[in-house]
Amino acid sequence: MTNTEPRRRNRRGEGGKLREEIIAAALALLDEGGDERAVTLRSVARKAGIAAPSIYPHFADQPSIMLAVVQQEMDALATVLREAVDNAGPDARARLFALCNAYLDFAELHPQRYRIMFGGLWTPSVEDTSITDADLDSLGAGAFTLLADVLGACVEEGIAHGSDDLFGDAVALWLGLHGLAHQRAVVRKMPGPADVGDRLIRALAHLK
């Protein structure tokens, strides 16, 4: 919906639909090539075809809109990773590579969204917004837990060298994937071999 189209008023009880429309409007602003600074209460209201005060029953401030966007995209990432793992079959090594490559593909396909999900200027001080530390700490938990579970299965099956710190190993692999995704996004041509992604996965997962 654009700001030139009249918007139909939601029926009573459809407040959840308006909330979804506000999130969709913020996401559209990001996808159009802007960044978090393009997402203001006024710009979101224009994009959604509503008056700015209509936002307040659903979101207290701009950061809370951005949080909702990030939460939605984190859920989408977790779904993509779960589907990749399920489609890879029972082999633990194949499931791990499927998950990691799906993560890298997601970052490449959705660069604006990915950048917002894992950083950006939107993240406020909790003293200045309605967002809490718990809100921020929970972001990405579903996707990370899946990564840790798949990596743990590799250890249990003897495919990867075991460690007494599976959580730490999963964090290292997650950060390695993020670093590679970031480099692919910011450089015109990646240096090194074409299979650098597979090498990174093998090394950080301690695969045999």
Side-chain angles (χ1 to χ4, degrees):
M1 179 178 295
T2 70
N3 60 349
T4 61
E5 298 173 331
R7 181 185 180 278
R8 292 183 178 178
R9 183 184 298 273
N10 286 328
R11 297 176 181 176
R12 181 172 297 180
E14 291 186 338
K17 181 179 179 181
L18 178 55
R19 186 180 189 277
E20 293 174 0
E21 291 173 355
I22 293 169
I23 296 172
L27 196 52
L29 289 168
L30 294 172
D31 285 343
E32 287 170 2
D35 57 23
E36 59 277 353
R37 289 168 293 187
V39 179
T40 66
L41 294 179
R42 286 186 177 182
S43 66
V44 170
R46 284 196 302 271
K47 195 71 174 175
I50 60 176
S54 300
I55 292 177
Y56 290 112
H58 305 278
F59 298 100
D61 47 26
Q62 186 268 4
S64 64
I65 297 176
M66 292 299 303
L67 175 66
V69 168
V70 172
Q71 288 171 331
Q72 176 177 289
E73 293 309 300
M74 285 292 189
D75 289 345
L77 173 61
T79 297
V80 167
L81 300 186
R82 169 58 66 187
E83 291 175 350
V85 169
D86 290 345
N87 290 334
D91 181 75
R93 181 189 293 268
R95 288 163 70 87
L96 179 65
F97 274 93
L99 184 151
C100 293
N101 285 316
Y103 179 101
L104 294 171
D105 290 343
F106 184 94
E108 185 175 2
L109 289 172
H110 307 288
Q112 295 284 10
R113 301 184 187 192
Y114 181 82
R115 186 179 66 82
I116 296 298
M117 291 164 63
F118 291 98
L121 299 175
W122 81 270
T123 309
S125 166
V126 293
E127 289 80 16
D128 301 327
T129 179
S130 60
I131 293 176
T132 67
D133 283 329
D135 291 327
L136 299 176
D137 291 343
S138 65
L139 291 175
F144 176 79
T145 298
L146 179 59
L147 173 64
D149 290 345
V150 173
L151 180 59
C154 288
V155 174
E156 291 177 4
E157 294 187 17
I159 297 169
H161 293 288
S163 163
D164 59 0
D165 185 12
L166 177 62
F167 175 82
D169 291 342
V171 169
L173 178 55
W174 180 278
L175 292 178
L177 292 172
H178 177 67
L180 179 56
H182 173 75
Q183 282 300 109
R184 286 178 172 176
V186 299
V187 300
R188 296 183 63 182
K189 183 178 180 181
M190 277 291 295
D195 66 344
V196 65
D198 288 348
R199 294 187 185 206
L200 180 144
I201 295 166
R202 285 195 298 268
L204 292 179
H206 308 294
L207 295 179
K208 297 180 179 179

